[in-house]
Amino acid sequence: MSSTAPVVSPEREQSVLAALRSPRRLRTEVLAGVVVALALIPEAISFSIIAGVDPRVGLFASFTMAVTIAIVGGRPAMISAATGAVALVVAPLVKSHGLDYLIAAVILAGVFQMILGGIGLAKLMRFVPRSVMTGFVNALAILIFTAQLPHLIGVPWLVYPMVAIGILIIVGLPKLTAAVPAPLVAIILLTAATIVCGLSVPNVGDEGELPDSLPSFLIPDVPFTWHTLTVIAPYALTMALVGLLESLMTAKFVDDLTDTHSNKSRESVGQGVANIVTGLFGGMGGCAMIGQTMINVRVSGARTRISTFLAGVFLLILVVGLGDVVALIPMAALVAVMIMVSVGTMDWHSINPKTLRRMPKSETTVMLATVAVTVATHNLAYGVIVGVVTAMVLFARRVAHMTDVVEVAHPDDDTRVYAVRGELFFASSNDLVYQFDYVNDPQHVVIDMSESHIWDASTVAALDAITTKYAAKGKTVTIVGLDDSSAARHERLSGHLGADH
């Protein structure tokens, strides 16, 4: 008699207790945490350099962010740490006012994120179209890949075969066994080969000095004055919005990847708490990281908060306790991991010629706009904002042309009935006033609105203009068929919008 393994529901896969009771799943979570921690080190150092701070500031931020968000965040298995987007935002502040002002801004950004999460900012995610999400993912894949290019240009020739071997291990090992994450095996083997053979290739130690002590609690040494607030508030608000946008987009992506739902409001508040904790321990702040999250969820198979928590713990152990060993890891091994992450992140179906031919041009335009702006600015928030705005404009333009005014009846010589069909708002109602024959129509005109809906004041103003034009010709207008909400809006606004409206 054959037996099959029990099917575990996606929701149960996220259970910490269930993972702790299962040695197999716990091993997956632990090993995923190790791989993510190794991948976080060079990124945190690089982002510290971008922000203009000591590498320990980025490394401590990654530790405190990961550990804190594992406890208070809303999306299990998502990795939060120091990020390039936040580094770009705070770099001018560090240059002009120094590290203490940066830390104060990080703490204030956390407060802003808690407030924004509390008032339901996360609900705005429902207005992000699928084409923007696709563009977001594709742009991330491109940015992850291009971020590896500096490690592949002007380097010893040995780097290239090492990267190729790393990729072969990551691609081939899962076909033989899934007991150990392939990226971890690639990192260990390439590091061992580098040490044993005495290969002279760039390593993690070349990226910056690793800390040799634990982070300590601190209060930023800044004057608690209105002037300080005016200096840090713009950076803090920008950091809060950029961080939330990246985190919520990443959370939605992981939701789709794992067929589960996460609490976006809790994630928003959790990001705020994590940034406050990070600031109080001297970190540069951060948000969700799609690359490391992909390593954790897709490549390593992690599903719970355990992997996120351990990624932070292992990161601290590695850089503080085993810094001398970690410094020897060749960058070629980490580059191989990140290249495969970029390949796995890209939505290849979305750029398939068959898909592009089938997809409406407006959808493709939105995706390309998101990708282009994100890649050009290296800021995911800008790309998503431009993508959403582009989608809104194209949608409004499309809907605006779906409104018709047709003559449906002429019951007698003194009456003509028009039917208005479609959704009426600022874009579609602009031309409404020109759809009637004011000169040749009879004395009484009926406008039937039973197949339309009034959405804004612009439409009410257009109807008032139509009534006024007919009145100037000595003719009367009767508007009928309004649904309840349209009738209420029309009754409340009609005649009160001013002659110029």
Side-chain angles (χ1 to χ4, degrees):
M1 174 185 271
S2 63
S3 62
T4 58
V7 178
V8 180
S9 69
E11 288 73 18
R12 183 169 172 76
E13 277 191 330
Q14 298 179 120
S15 170
V16 171
L17 290 177
L20 290 174
R21 295 190 185 107
S22 169
R24 180 184 60 82
R25 291 180 56 196
L26 183 58
R27 182 187 63 207
T28 298
E29 299 292 321
V30 172
L31 293 177
V34 174
V35 176
V36 171
L38 290 169
L40 279 172
I41 295 171
E43 298 256 327
I45 296 173
S46 299
F47 298 149
S48 299
I49 295 171
I50 292 173
V53 297
D54 189 272
R56 72 183 64 218
V57 177
L59 289 166
F60 287 162
S62 294
F63 159 66
T64 50
M65 284 291 297
V67 169
T68 306
I69 205 66
I71 300 170
V72 300
R75 173 64 255 180
M78 190 167 76
I79 304 297
S80 291
T83 58
V86 171
L88 289 169
V89 170
V90 301
L93 178 62
V94 176
K95 185 176 182 180
S96 60
H97 289 82
L99 180 60
D100 283 301
Y101 276 82
L102 163 63
I103 294 172
V106 170
I107 295 172
L108 182 59
V111 174
F112 283 153
Q113 287 179 327
M114 291 184 68
I115 294 172
L116 292 170
I119 63 177
L121 178 70
K123 294 178 181 177
L124 294 178
M125 284 300 296
R126 72 184 66 180
F127 296 106
V128 178
R130 183 184 180 280
S131 51
V132 173
M133 191 69 195
T134 303
F136 168 81
V137 169
N138 290 343
L140 281 171
I142 294 170
L143 289 179
I144 291 171
F145 179 79
T146 56
Q148 312 314 309
L149 295 181
H151 303 297
L152 296 172
I153 298 174
V155 294
W157 68 269
L158 281 171
V159 169
Y160 303 110
M162 290 180 71
V163 171
I165 292 171
I167 292 175
L168 287 174
I169 293 172
I170 296 171
V171 172
L173 185 61
K175 298 178 181 178
L176 302 176
T177 177
V180 184
L184 180 59
V185 174
I187 292 170
I188 292 174
L189 291 180
L190 289 175
T191 302
T194 301
I195 296 173
V196 172
C197 300
L199 303 179
S200 180
V201 292
N203 56 35
V204 171
D206 298 329
E207 296 296 301
E209 184 180 356
L210 299 177
D212 55 7
S213 62
L214 297 174
S216 57
F217 183 85
L218 61 86
I219 300 294
D221 184 16
V222 298
F224 290 86
T225 62
W226 177 256
H227 176 263
T228 300
L229 183 62
T230 59
V231 170
I232 66 174
Y235 294 98
L237 182 59
T238 304
M239 193 189 314
L241 293 173
V242 168
L244 282 183
L245 188 55
E246 287 205 36
S247 299
L248 294 176
M249 290 291 287
T250 303
K252 188 174 186 299
F253 180 57
V254 178
D255 287 353
D256 295 340
L257 191 65
T258 59
D259 292 325
T260 57
H261 176 71
S262 60
N263 188 327
K264 304 301 187 298
S265 293
R266 177 178 172 179
E267 181 63 39
S268 300
V269 175
Q271 288 289 329
V273 173
N275 271 302
I276 291 173
V277 172
T278 295
L280 292 174
F281 280 90
M284 59 180 279
C287 61
M289 299 187 74
I290 184 69
Q292 276 64 26
T293 298
M294 286 292 294
I295 292 175
N296 197 45
V297 177
R298 174 173 279 179
V299 178
S300 301
R303 290 294 183 272
T304 76
R305 300 176 186 276
I306 297 174
S307 58
T308 305
F309 181 84
L310 291 180
V313 172
F314 287 144
L315 171 65
L316 189 65
I317 294 173
L318 288 169
V319 299
V320 175
L322 301 172
D324 293 340
V325 177
V326 171
L328 298 176
I329 296 175
M331 287 303 299
L334 298 175
V335 167
V337 172
M338 297 310 293
I339 286 176
M340 292 311 300
V341 168
S342 70
V343 171
T345 302
M346 176 69 73
D347 185 347
W348 296 103
H349 176 74
S350 69
I351 58 175
N352 186 299
K354 293 182 179 179
T355 303
L356 293 174
R357 283 195 296 269
R358 187 179 298 111
M359 193 68 65
K361 291 182 179 179
S362 59
E363 300 285 328
T364 302
T365 300
V366 170
M367 181 192 74
L368 293 177
T370 305
V371 172
V373 173
T374 300
V375 172
T377 63
H378 283 233
N379 192 312
L380 295 166
Y382 292 159
V384 171
I385 291 171
V386 169
V388 171
V389 171
T390 302
M392 290 171 60
V393 171
L394 292 176
F395 175 77
R397 184 184 177 199
R398 186 165 63 250
V399 174
H401 296 291
M402 296 174 65
T403 303
D404 293 319
V405 178
V406 295
E407 181 183 349
V408 294
H410 200 161
D412 55 59
D413 292 339
D414 291 329
T415 305
R416 177 169 290 174
V417 181
Y418 287 97
V420 179
R421 298 166 179 164
E423 303 302 310
L424 298 172
F425 62 109
F426 61 89
S428 61
S429 62
N430 277 335
D431 294 333
L432 195 62
V433 70
Y434 305 112
Q435 305 300 312
F436 298 87
D437 190 351
Y438 302 100
V439 175
N440 299 316
D441 277 346
Q443 290 298 115
H444 184 56
V445 173
V446 177
I447 301 178
D448 184 358
M449 307 282 289
S450 57
E451 296 182 59
S452 61
H453 184 87
I454 296 175
W455 287 103
D456 60 6
S458 296
T459 303
V460 177
L463 292 174
D464 283 354
I466 293 169
T467 302
T468 301
K469 284 182 175 292
Y470 274 116
K473 303 293 184 183
K475 302 172 183 179
T476 60
V477 174
T478 302
I479 298 175
V480 300
L482 290 171
D483 58 47
D484 292 342
S485 61
S486 296
R489 185 172 288 108
H490 184 265
E491 182 178 357
R492 185 172 67 253
L493 298 176
S494 182
H496 300 286
L497 296 174
D500 295 333
H501 299 282

